[in-house]
Amino acid sequence: MKAAIHDIFGDPAEVLKPGTVARPEAGAGEVLLKVLLSPIHNHDLWTVRGSYGVKPALPAIGGSEAVGIIEAVGAGVDSGLIGKRVAAAGLAGSWADYVTTSAGSIIPLPDAVSDEIGAQLVAMPFSAITLLDFVDVAPGDCVVQTAANGAVGKVFAALAKARGVRTVNLVRRKEAVAELEALGMENIIATDLPGWQEKALALVGEKGAKAAVDSVGGEMALALCDLIGDDGLLVTFGTATGAPLALSSGTLIFKQLTVKGFWGKKVSDEMAPEKKVALFGELLRLAVADALPLPVGGIFPLDAVADAAKAALVPGRPGKILLQP
């Protein structure tokens, strides 16, 4: 089969190449998916660089999520699943014609959910909904988030709104404001404009935000702590700047703030199965209602994986870059 492969870790646009490898076979308890579309996530690119929490053995096939048709099943799996269209994440090597996964991890998709939505339905939306659950907010509470124009940020704001939670949505470029307003997002502030902190303070109100979630890092953490109220929570789940969090001891002490890290994989692995089912059900209902903002920024063939990786790194792209075998 055809696949996007890297023999070394490094710049994805340089080390990813199309190649031919043996088609995998579904083992016991597994299904074989014929991949229809597979997204390029930031964590996929970090994995190719060798800088993510999980390092694959080389040579490796990139990609970790896909929408596909079940082509075959392994021992112990209902053969009635063959031909079903499903979404799956946590995959090892989805940038290929075929990929295997546990039968227990697949999510059957209703016809109302397009391939473009199905390809993105699990990793980022599930990260967003588990992140919202992680910050433990109630209707009427306020959460500040950075990188609101990212895949997680867009879905996080939509989920919060559906649950009655207010969000203050920070972006680093003023050009992103109109894009998010077109998606129905509210309370958007560009941090490259003067006076943004005063606007944010006015939106969170006198009591401050219950929590803030950050994937920018660096000096932004100082500003976020100023926006959080007493006994609030700062969650970090990424670092677009690559800089360590800058924190004020005085603010942490006198507001009695808590700072936590969030890794979606670990949270998901430790989550009770019944809770996962409930959260995925919530996502599917919103997807069927076309209430999940999951735009596509381009679809590339596997042969153009280097170009696709470059496109995935372009600031301000309108949506997720997808690979199509």
Side-chain angles (χ1 to χ4, degrees):
M1 68 172 186
K2 190 175 290 185
I5 306 165
H6 60 106
D7 296 313
I8 60 173
F9 296 113
D11 181 344
E14 295 179 2
V15 302
L16 283 167
K17 310 289 182 187
T20 302
V21 298
R23 193 183 88 165
E25 299 294 332
E30 292 184 334
V31 298
L32 176 69
L33 295 185
K34 180 175 176 55
V35 176
L36 298 175
L37 290 171
S38 181
I40 298 180
H41 295 306
N42 286 338
H43 64 258
D44 295 323
L45 299 177
W46 282 109
T47 300
V48 174
R49 294 184 186 103
S51 304
Y52 195 56
V54 177
K55 238 180 182 179
L58 297 176
I61 301 171
S64 58
E65 181 174 13
V67 60
I69 305 294
I70 296 178
E71 180 95 352
V73 299
V77 180
D78 182 5
S79 62
L81 289 174
I82 295 174
K84 300 291 186 183
R85 189 175 63 112
V86 300
L91 306 175
S94 62
W95 298 345
D97 288 330
Y98 295 91
V99 67
T100 57
T101 188
S102 166
S105 68
I106 59 174
I107 301 173
L109 296 176
D111 292 341
V113 177
S114 69
D115 288 345
E116 290 79 5
I117 295 294
Q120 308 177 62
L121 184 61
V122 185
M124 297 300 104
F126 195 67
S127 290
I129 201 168
T130 52
L131 182 58
L132 184 58
D133 190 70
F134 188 79
V135 298
D136 193 25
V137 287
D141 286 339
C142 178
V143 180
V144 181
Q145 67 159 336
T146 60
N149 54 328
V152 171
K154 291 171 183 173
V155 177
F156 185 91
L159 292 169
K161 185 175 182 179
R163 291 187 178 189
V165 175
R166 292 191 304 115
T167 54
V168 174
N169 302 292
L170 307 181
V171 295
R172 291 191 289 166
R173 299 176 299 104
K174 59 182 181 294
E175 294 82 5
V177 174
E179 170 204 339
L180 295 181
E181 287 177 339
L183 293 174
M185 192 182 292
E186 302 169 341
N187 301 334
I188 310 158
I189 298 175
T191 60
D192 60 348
L193 294 176
W196 75 265
Q197 286 151 306
E198 290 75 13
K199 291 180 182 177
L201 282 167
L203 286 173
V204 300
E206 187 177 340
K207 291 185 177 180
K210 179 77 177 292
V213 294
D214 177 50
S215 58
V216 172
E219 298 291 321
M220 179 56 69
L222 284 170
L224 291 175
C225 287
D226 288 338
L227 298 173
I228 302 171
D230 291 350
D231 302 309
L233 172 67
L234 172 64
V235 175
T236 175
F237 71 101
T239 172
T241 62
L245 291 182
L247 298 168
S248 162
S249 298
T251 304
L252 292 179
I253 293 168
F254 297 122
K255 285 189 175 182
Q256 297 192 112
L257 302 182
T258 300
V259 181
K260 286 185 178 181
F262 173 88
W263 186 18
K265 181 183 184 303
K266 184 174 183 180
V267 173
S268 176
D269 288 347
E270 296 175 353
M271 187 177 291
E274 57 272 16
K275 188 165 191 177
K276 277 188 183 179
V277 170
L279 293 179
F280 273 124
E282 185 176 347
L283 287 176
L284 270 177
R285 287 191 295 274
L286 290 170
V288 168
D290 198 25
L292 285 181
L294 295 170
V296 173
I299 299 177
F300 291 74
L302 280 178
D303 285 339
V305 63
D307 292 334
K310 290 177 185 175
L313 292 169
V314 173
R317 57 183 164 75
K320 186 67 66 176
I321 300 299
L322 306 178
L323 285 169
Q324 185 174 48

